[in-house]
């Protein structure tokens, strides 16, 4: 099922998701921070607001902690990310967040066996691409998430590959429609506790340039140097101001709250 660009593009769109995942694997394989020139400025986000007018946090301010907060893969997407700014803590914010965490733990216990997830309508994204983290997505839950938040019905289940187990459950992904406001996201999971994010400024490569998703200096995709409509059009690409939805990952087996809502998908989130 493909949702229109005017709404959002399903992360199960094979061509697009393959490009994103494959480029992610490629960048992780070739990027070595130790090889960067001394004094090189951190990549900063060009997105200060998304197309719906939601403010996006300035990732330059996170430069000193991007790697441990976001992981190498997410940090490399700085020009293609909108991240919600943190709000001041309000009464009951932590209580609300912990209630969601408890619901996640209760919900995913039955899915330790990934075959039960499949039986309940979760479909593995890009099964032919080897990844450290796999998304199993439920389309019915994704559609529901456009309009309401039910913590017992996550859009995706997250499985991490270990040396002895290909699908080890570690958490969930919740989504909200791309036009959801900050206040709506805050009602779901408080923005004083966690950051929601959205993928932006995506330039899909034309067929004759797909190889430029890869390498040390990719031009297209989530890690590409192209992040404006003008540059994308000049290269013959298809520009998408927003791809996918608002999303947030929840890892309920972590002890520290900041790790429960971590944006670092490069490491496992279980003990």
């Amino acid at each position: 099922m493909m949702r229109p660009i005017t709404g959002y593009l399903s992360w199960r769109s094979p061509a697009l998701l393959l490009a994103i995942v494959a480029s992610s694997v490629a960048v992780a394989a070739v990027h070595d921070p130790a090889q960067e020139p001394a004094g090189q400025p951190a990549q900063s986000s060009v997105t200060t607001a998304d197309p719906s007018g939601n403010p996006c946090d300035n990732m330059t301010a996170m430069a000193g902690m991007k790697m441990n907060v976001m992981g190498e893969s997410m940090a490399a997407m700085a020009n293609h990310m909108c991240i919600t700014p943190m709000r001041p803590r309000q009464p009951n914010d932590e209580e609300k967040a912990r209630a969601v965490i408890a619901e996640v733990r209760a919900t995913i216990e039955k899915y330790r066996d990934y075959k039960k997830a499949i039986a309940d309508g979760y479909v593995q994204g890009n099964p032919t691409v080897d990844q450290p983290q796999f998304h199993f997505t439920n389309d019915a839950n994704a559609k529901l998430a456009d309009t309401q938040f039910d913590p017992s019905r996550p859009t995706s289940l997250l499985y991490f590959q270990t040396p002895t187990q290909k699908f080890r459950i570690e958490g969930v992904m919740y989504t909200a429609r791309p036009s959801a406001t900050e206040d709506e996201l805050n009602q779901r999971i408080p923005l004083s506790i966690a950051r929601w994010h959205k993928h932006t400024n995506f330039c899909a490569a034309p067929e004759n340039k797909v190889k430029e998703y890869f390498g040390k200096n990719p031009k297209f995709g989530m890690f590409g140097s192209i992040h404006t409509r003008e540059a994308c059009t000049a290269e013959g690409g298809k520009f998408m101001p927003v791809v996918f939805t608002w999303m947030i990952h929840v890892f309920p087996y972590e002890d520290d709250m900041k790790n429960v809502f971590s944006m670092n998908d490069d490491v496992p989130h279980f003990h």
Side-chain angles (χ1 to χ4, degrees):
M1 180 271 292
M2 177 90 66
R3 301 193 183 210
I5 298 298
T6 52
Y8 66 86
L9 196 64
S10 169
W11 46 88
R12 287 179 54 201
S13 168
L16 178 57
L17 186 54
L18 180 59
I20 293 169
V21 171
S23 60
S24 173
V25 172
V27 169
V30 302
H31 182 67
D32 180 0
Q35 299 302 315
E36 294 178 351
Q40 178 172 308
Q43 186 182 29
S44 63
S45 175
V46 298
T47 307
T48 56
D50 73 5
S52 297
N54 294 292
C56 304
D57 208 2
N58 184 351
M59 289 181 64
T60 302
M62 301 172 66
M65 57 181 179
K66 271 196 298 187
M67 284 301 180
N68 65 326
V69 170
M70 303 180 67
E72 187 174 332
S73 295
M74 291 286 270
M77 290 189 276
N79 281 322
H80 306 277
M81 294 275 286
C82 178
I83 300 173
T84 54
M86 294 293 285
R87 288 188 171 188
R89 185 72 61 91
Q90 300 298 317
N92 301 322
D93 275 2
E94 183 169 341
E95 180 182 351
K96 192 177 201 177
R98 290 193 180 280
V100 173
I101 296 167
E103 186 72 53
V104 173
R105 288 193 71 136
T107 296
I108 67 176
E109 277 302 304
K110 67 181 289 189
Y111 297 127
R112 287 183 180 273
D113 181 350
Y114 76 96
K115 294 178 183 177
K116 292 183 179 178
I118 293 173
D120 280 356
Y122 288 90
V123 179
Q124 181 184 355
N126 285 309
T128 61
V129 179
D130 195 27
Q131 311 158 55
Q133 185 187 79
F134 296 90
H135 287 62
F136 281 65
T137 297
N138 185 300
D139 277 347
N141 290 358
K143 184 177 293 186
L144 176 72
D146 281 350
T147 57
Q148 58 184 284
F149 181 53
D150 182 347
S152 70
R153 294 183 58 181
T155 294
S156 299
L157 302 174
L158 306 178
Y159 290 87
F160 202 88
Q161 184 171 193
T162 72
T164 59
Q165 190 175 0
K166 186 168 185 179
F167 300 117
R168 181 170 176 181
I169 191 77
E170 66 168 349
V172 304
M173 181 175 77
Y174 292 117
T175 58
R177 70 184 190 285
S179 60
T181 66
E182 264 196 286
D183 286 341
E184 288 178 271
L185 299 177
N186 186 62
Q187 283 295 317
R188 297 184 178 207
I189 299 177
L191 299 183
S192 66
I193 303 289
R195 294 177 185 267
W196 290 73
H197 68 276
K198 183 193 295 186
H199 297 292
T200 60
N201 303 330
F202 184 88
C203 183
E207 289 187 15
N208 64 332
K209 296 182 179 180
V210 293
K211 66 180 181 181
E212 294 182 45
Y213 280 121
F214 311 101
K216 292 184 178 180
N217 299 295
K219 184 177 290 186
F220 298 95
M222 290 298 186
F223 301 94
S225 58
I226 298 175
H227 52 258
T228 66
R229 185 183 298 277
E230 294 74 19
C232 186
T233 300
E235 290 287 346
K238 181 178 179 61
F239 186 74
M240 303 176 198
V242 174
V243 286
F244 312 149
T245 62
W246 280 113
M247 58 189 76
I248 190 169
H249 291 178
V250 184
F251 303 108
Y253 301 124
E254 289 282 11
D255 297 325
D256 191 311
M257 186 76 83
K258 71 176 185 295
N259 292 328
V260 170
F261 295 104
S262 173
M263 293 180 64
N264 186 349
D265 295 337
D266 298 335
V267 298
H269 291 282
F270 41 68
H271 301 292

